[in-house]
Amino acid sequence: QVQLQESGPGLVKPSGTLSLTCTVSGTSTSSYYWNWIRQPPGKGLEWIGYIYYSGSTNYNPSLKSRVTISLDRSKNQFSLDLRSVTAADTAVYYCARSGDSSNSRYNVYWGQGTLVAVSS
Amino acid sequence: DIVMTQSPDSLAVSLGERATINCKSSQSVFYTSNNKNYLAWYQQKPGQPPKLLIYWASTRESGVPDRFSGSGSGTDFTLTISSLQAEDVAVYYCQQYDSTPFTFGPGTKVDIK
């Protein structure tokens, strides 16, 4: 079955870089959109961006200057880098996979999420 | 950006009764070229990731009980739980995937009365 698992540091210092990896199993990263979504504690969901299997990316303009999403098809992983973090970036970070067709950009499969706190 | 709003913020429904959640987008998410609404619904229980319930506004994801249904078109959408079960206690989010940035509604919390 399809599984996604986020990994990375749970604590990042202010002004540092938040780096997370999503390891994918049961499906290939040679298709689909691969998304990062975050949820501050007790709040709603915010889409960060996606990388298409071709390598093209699309980021939320609110974060675009600080975000890079990359894909490593050989490892079946994709990654998130968020630079110059502040306390406002404290959140549970989810990775997610889209539906089957190029129009199906809803999120079918989700990782369990990882809490990243920004604090000195 | 397309702004998504939901109503109510929360609701409490008796077991076996109907729960209705509304979602409104600030612009149409309907594509005439393929006659589809780019609108999804998710269910999130505490400590869990969101779970896809409905996509294309009304298509139920595989394995989702048929008491969940989605309707609407253009800018106005509804998620209906026809007979609320205890396991349906959760927060429900709508999301548009018509144009980036993809945006979610603020969520509606459903509880048992």
Side-chain angles (χ1 to χ4, degrees):
Chain A
Q1 73 277 27
V2 176
Q3 291 186 317
L4 291 80
Q5 180 66 59
E6 305 89 351
S7 59
L11 181 66
V12 180
K13 293 187 187 308
S15 77
T17 297
L18 181 159
S19 295
L20 297 174
T21 296
C22 182
T23 300
V24 178
S25 59
T27 186
S28 171
T29 52
S30 296
S31 297
Y32 311 110
Y33 294 88
W34 301 95
N35 293 264
W36 287 99
I37 294 151
R38 70 181 183 178
Q39 184 172 37
K43 296 189 177 181
L45 299 161
E46 180 182 31
W47 177 76
I48 299 170
Y50 68 63
I51 187 164
Y52 196 37
Y53 75 95
S54 62
S56 64
T57 54
N58 197 311
Y59 302 133
N60 194 320
S62 67
L63 300 168
K64 187 173 184 177
S65 64
R66 300 193 290 130
V67 171
T68 301
I69 298 176
S70 57
L71 179 64
D72 187 337
R73 286 203 292 267
S74 68
K75 293 183 178 180
N76 232 30
Q77 293 177 334
F78 64 109
S79 298
L80 169 70
D81 285 330
L82 180 63
R83 298 173 290 279
S84 304
V85 297
T86 70
D89 295 310
T90 294
V92 175
Y93 286 76
Y94 295 102
C95 58
R97 198 208 84 178
S98 69
D100 290 338
S101 76
S102 61
N103 286 334
S104 301
R105 298 186 294 181
Y106 46 84
N107 297 293
V108 180
Y109 299 101
W110 295 67
Q112 283 299 306
T114 187
L115 175 62
V116 181
V118 178
S119 175
S120 54
Chain B
D1 299 6
I2 296 178
V3 177
M4 307 299 291
T5 56
Q6 289 182 231
S7 62
D9 295 336
S10 64
L11 75 161
V13 175
S14 300
L15 288 172
E17 295 301 305
R18 178 184 301 262
T20 301
I21 301 168
N22 299 301
C23 172
K24 191 175 184 70
S25 57
S26 61
Q27 62 192 72
S28 176
V29 297
F30 178 74
Y31 259 71
T32 54
S33 59
N34 60 5
N35 204 36
K36 289 182 183 293
N37 288 282
Y38 286 58
L39 189 285
W41 288 96
Y42 301 88
Q43 173 194 64
Q44 187 178 32
K45 297 180 180 180
Q48 296 185 19
K51 173 187 175 183
L52 178 68
L53 296 177
I54 303 282
Y55 56 95
W56 300 130
S58 61
T59 301
R60 201 179 301 113
E61 171 66 349
S62 175
V64 172
D66 61 7
R67 64 180 180 271
F68 292 93
S69 63
S71 62
S73 185
T75 61
D76 293 278
F77 301 92
T78 300
L79 174 70
T80 301
I81 309 172
S82 61
S83 176
L84 191 76
Q85 304 300 303
E87 61 265 34
D88 301 335
V89 170
V91 178
Y92 293 84
Y93 296 94
C94 60
Q95 181 212 8
Q96 66 81 17
Y97 50 96
D98 171 38
S99 61
T100 57
F102 301 147
T103 45
F104 293 86
T108 294
K109 185 175 182 181
V110 175
D111 273 319
I112 305 295
K113 186 185 291 183

mmCIF file of all heavy atoms in Angstrom, chain A residues 69-89:
data_model
loop_
_atom_site.group_PDB
_atom_site.id
_atom_site.type_symbol
_atom_site.label_atom_id
_atom_site.label_comp_id
_atom_site.label_asym_id
_atom_site.label_seq_id
_atom_site.Cartn_x
_atom_site.Cartn_y
_atom_site.Cartn_z
ATOM 1 N N ILE A 69 11.362 22.913 -3.043
ATOM 2 C CA ILE A 69 10.958 21.505 -3.006
ATOM 3 C C ILE A 69 11.726 20.784 -4.098
ATOM 4 O O ILE A 69 11.790 21.257 -5.240
ATOM 5 C CB ILE A 69 9.437 21.348 -3.199
ATOM 6 C CG1 ILE A 69 8.677 22.043 -2.067
ATOM 7 C CG2 ILE A 69 9.062 19.867 -3.247
ATOM 8 C CD1 ILE A 69 7.156 22.028 -2.230
ATOM 9 N N SER A 70 12.318 19.659 -3.734
ATOM 10 C CA SER A 70 13.108 18.889 -4.694
ATOM 11 C C SER A 70 12.688 17.428 -4.662
ATOM 12 O O SER A 70 12.057 16.967 -3.705
ATOM 13 C CB SER A 70 14.598 19.027 -4.382
ATOM 14 O OG SER A 70 14.868 18.613 -3.056
ATOM 15 N N LEU A 71 13.055 16.713 -5.722
ATOM 16 C CA LEU A 71 12.636 15.316 -5.899
ATOM 17 C C LEU A 71 13.852 14.463 -6.213
ATOM 18 O O LEU A 71 14.670 14.824 -7.069
ATOM 19 C CB LEU A 71 11.627 15.251 -7.042
ATOM 20 C CG LEU A 71 11.053 13.906 -7.451
ATOM 21 C CD1 LEU A 71 10.224 13.301 -6.331
ATOM 22 C CD2 LEU A 71 10.204 14.067 -8.716
ATOM 23 N N ASP A 72 13.966 13.343 -5.529
ATOM 24 C CA ASP A 72 15.023 12.370 -5.821
ATOM 25 C C ASP A 72 14.339 11.066 -6.199
ATOM 26 O O ASP A 72 13.983 10.265 -5.324
ATOM 27 C CB ASP A 72 15.931 12.199 -4.608
ATOM 28 C CG ASP A 72 17.145 11.341 -4.910
ATOM 29 O OD1 ASP A 72 17.088 10.520 -5.875
ATOM 30 O OD2 ASP A 72 18.143 11.449 -4.201
ATOM 31 N N ARG A 73 14.143 10.859 -7.512
ATOM 32 C CA ARG A 73 13.388 9.670 -7.951
ATOM 33 C C ARG A 73 14.170 8.391 -7.652
ATOM 34 O O ARG A 73 13.581 7.349 -7.415
ATOM 35 C CB ARG A 73 13.053 9.789 -9.430
ATOM 36 C CG ARG A 73 11.939 10.813 -9.684
ATOM 37 C CD ARG A 73 11.239 10.544 -10.999
ATOM 38 N NE ARG A 73 12.114 10.797 -12.131
ATOM 39 C CZ ARG A 73 12.173 11.949 -12.761
ATOM 40 N NH1 ARG A 73 11.415 12.957 -12.360
ATOM 41 N NH2 ARG A 73 12.980 12.111 -13.775
ATOM 42 N N SER A 74 15.494 8.474 -7.647
ATOM 43 C CA SER A 74 16.295 7.260 -7.380
ATOM 44 C C SER A 74 16.078 6.739 -5.955
ATOM 45 O O SER A 74 16.174 5.543 -5.699
ATOM 46 C CB SER A 74 17.776 7.545 -7.620
ATOM 47 O OG SER A 74 18.281 8.451 -6.657
ATOM 48 N N LYS A 75 15.774 7.659 -5.042
ATOM 49 C CA LYS A 75 15.540 7.264 -3.650
ATOM 50 C C LYS A 75 14.056 7.216 -3.322
ATOM 51 O O LYS A 75 13.685 6.888 -2.188
ATOM 52 C CB LYS A 75 16.229 8.258 -2.702
ATOM 53 C CG LYS A 75 17.743 8.228 -2.758
ATOM 54 C CD LYS A 75 18.326 9.188 -1.732
ATOM 55 C CE LYS A 75 19.844 9.141 -1.747
ATOM 56 N NZ LYS A 75 20.435 10.079 -0.757
ATOM 57 N N ASN A 76 13.208 7.574 -4.300
ATOM 58 C CA ASN A 76 11.767 7.668 -4.068
ATOM 59 C C ASN A 76 11.462 8.595 -2.885
ATOM 60 O O ASN A 76 10.689 8.263 -1.969
ATOM 61 C CB ASN A 76 11.140 6.285 -3.833
ATOM 62 C CG ASN A 76 9.937 6.040 -4.740
ATOM 63 O OD1 ASN A 76 9.868 6.568 -5.860
ATOM 64 N ND2 ASN A 76 8.998 5.255 -4.263
ATOM 65 N N GLN A 77 12.096 9.758 -2.932
ATOM 66 C CA GLN A 77 11.935 10.749 -1.873
ATOM 67 C C GLN A 77 11.731 12.137 -2.480
ATOM 68 O O GLN A 77 12.191 12.409 -3.597
ATOM 69 C CB GLN A 77 13.180 10.812 -0.986
ATOM 70 C CG GLN A 77 13.464 9.586 -0.163
ATOM 71 C CD GLN A 77 14.757 9.713 0.631
ATOM 72 O OE1 GLN A 77 15.675 10.447 0.247
ATOM 73 N NE2 GLN A 77 14.833 8.998 1.745
ATOM 74 N N PHE A 78 11.070 12.993 -1.730
ATOM 75 C CA PHE A 78 11.084 14.402 -2.073
ATOM 76 C C PHE A 78 11.289 15.206 -0.789
ATOM 77 O O PHE A 78 11.058 14.702 0.319
ATOM 78 C CB PHE A 78 9.847 14.831 -2.862
ATOM 79 C CG PHE A 78 8.524 14.715 -2.140
ATOM 80 C CD1 PHE A 78 7.847 15.857 -1.733
ATOM 81 C CD2 PHE A 78 7.927 13.484 -1.932
ATOM 82 C CE1 PHE A 78 6.608 15.768 -1.116
ATOM 83 C CE2 PHE A 78 6.696 13.377 -1.307
ATOM 84 C CZ PHE A 78 6.041 14.519 -0.891
ATOM 85 N N SER A 79 11.748 16.433 -0.951
ATOM 86 C CA SER A 79 12.221 17.189 0.207
ATOM 87 C C SER A 79 11.700 18.613 0.204
ATOM 88 O O SER A 79 11.324 19.161 -0.837
ATOM 89 C CB SER A 79 13.759 17.209 0.216
ATOM 90 O OG SER A 79 14.268 15.904 0.333
ATOM 91 N N LEU A 80 11.705 19.192 1.385
ATOM 92 C CA LEU A 80 11.298 20.583 1.590
ATOM 93 C C LEU A 80 12.416 21.313 2.310
ATOM 94 O O LEU A 80 12.936 20.837 3.324
ATOM 95 C CB LEU A 80 10.034 20.628 2.457
ATOM 96 C CG LEU A 80 9.618 22.006 2.991
ATOM 97 C CD1 LEU A 80 9.115 22.891 1.852
ATOM 98 C CD2 LEU A 80 8.548 21.857 4.077
ATOM 99 N N ASP A 81 12.798 22.458 1.805
ATOM 100 C CA ASP A 81 13.675 23.391 2.512
ATOM 101 C C ASP A 81 12.917 24.709 2.682
ATOM 102 O O ASP A 81 12.422 25.269 1.700
ATOM 103 C CB ASP A 81 14.969 23.656 1.738
ATOM 104 C CG ASP A 81 15.945 22.500 1.819
ATOM 105 O OD1 ASP A 81 15.927 21.786 2.843
ATOM 106 O OD2 ASP A 81 16.728 22.315 0.868
ATOM 107 N N LEU A 82 12.865 25.180 3.920
ATOM 108 C CA LEU A 82 12.244 26.462 4.223
ATOM 109 C C LEU A 82 13.264 27.294 4.983
ATOM 110 O O LEU A 82 13.672 26.933 6.094
ATOM 111 C CB LEU A 82 10.980 26.262 5.063
ATOM 112 C CG LEU A 82 10.211 27.526 5.459
ATOM 113 C CD1 LEU A 82 9.671 28.244 4.223
ATOM 114 C CD2 LEU A 82 9.075 27.190 6.420
ATOM 115 N N ARG A 83 13.681 28.389 4.377
ATOM 116 C CA ARG A 83 14.782 29.190 4.907
ATOM 117 C C ARG A 83 14.273 30.331 5.781
ATOM 118 O O ARG A 83 13.096 30.693 5.733
ATOM 119 C CB ARG A 83 15.599 29.762 3.749
ATOM 120 C CG ARG A 83 16.245 28.703 2.879
ATOM 121 C CD ARG A 83 16.900 29.294 1.637
ATOM 122 N NE ARG A 83 15.917 29.805 0.672
ATOM 123 C CZ ARG A 83 15.248 29.052 -0.197
ATOM 124 N NH1 ARG A 83 15.474 27.748 -0.245
ATOM 125 N NH2 ARG A 83 14.381 29.592 -1.027
ATOM 126 N N SER A 84 15.176 30.867 6.562
ATOM 127 C CA SER A 84 14.897 32.064 7.390
ATOM 128 C C SER A 84 13.635 31.887 8.222
ATOM 129 O O SER A 84 12.740 32.731 8.202
ATOM 130 C CB SER A 84 14.777 33.303 6.484
ATOM 131 O OG SER A 84 15.927 33.476 5.707
ATOM 132 N N VAL A 85 13.567 30.799 8.944
ATOM 133 C CA VAL A 85 12.348 30.470 9.695
ATOM 134 C C VAL A 85 12.193 31.362 10.929
ATOM 135 O O VAL A 85 13.166 31.857 11.500
ATOM 136 C CB VAL A 85 12.307 28.990 10.099
ATOM 137 C CG1 VAL A 85 12.262 28.097 8.859
ATOM 138 C CG2 VAL A 85 13.474 28.617 11.002
ATOM 139 N N THR A 86 10.929 31.541 11.298
ATOM 140 C CA THR A 86 10.567 32.243 12.536
ATOM 141 C C THR A 86 9.583 31.368 13.306
ATOM 142 O O THR A 86 9.163 30.304 12.819
ATOM 143 C CB THR A 86 9.913 33.599 12.239
ATOM 144 O OG1 THR A 86 8.616 33.378 11.662
ATOM 145 C CG2 THR A 86 10.747 34.438 11.278
ATOM 146 N N ALA A 87 9.173 31.852 14.457
ATOM 147 C CA ALA A 87 8.215 31.087 15.266
ATOM 148 C C ALA A 87 6.918 30.828 14.509
ATOM 149 O O ALA A 87 6.227 29.835 14.761
ATOM 150 C CB ALA A 87 7.933 31.845 16.567
ATOM 151 N N ALA A 88 6.583 31.711 13.572
ATOM 152 C CA ALA A 88 5.358 31.535 12.783
ATOM 153 C C ALA A 88 5.408 30.303 11.878
ATOM 154 O O ALA A 88 4.379 29.878 11.346
ATOM 155 C CB ALA A 88 5.098 32.782 11.941
ATOM 156 N N ASP A 89 6.600 29.743 11.700
ATOM 157 C CA ASP A 89 6.740 28.526 10.870
ATOM 158 C C ASP A 89 6.583 27.255 11.707
ATOM 159 O O ASP A 89 6.661 26.149 11.165
ATOM 160 C CB ASP A 89 8.094 28.531 10.169
ATOM 161 C CG ASP A 89 8.213 29.671 9.158
ATOM 162 O OD1 ASP A 89 7.302 29.817 8.328
ATOM 163 O OD2 ASP A 89 9.219 30.417 9.226
#
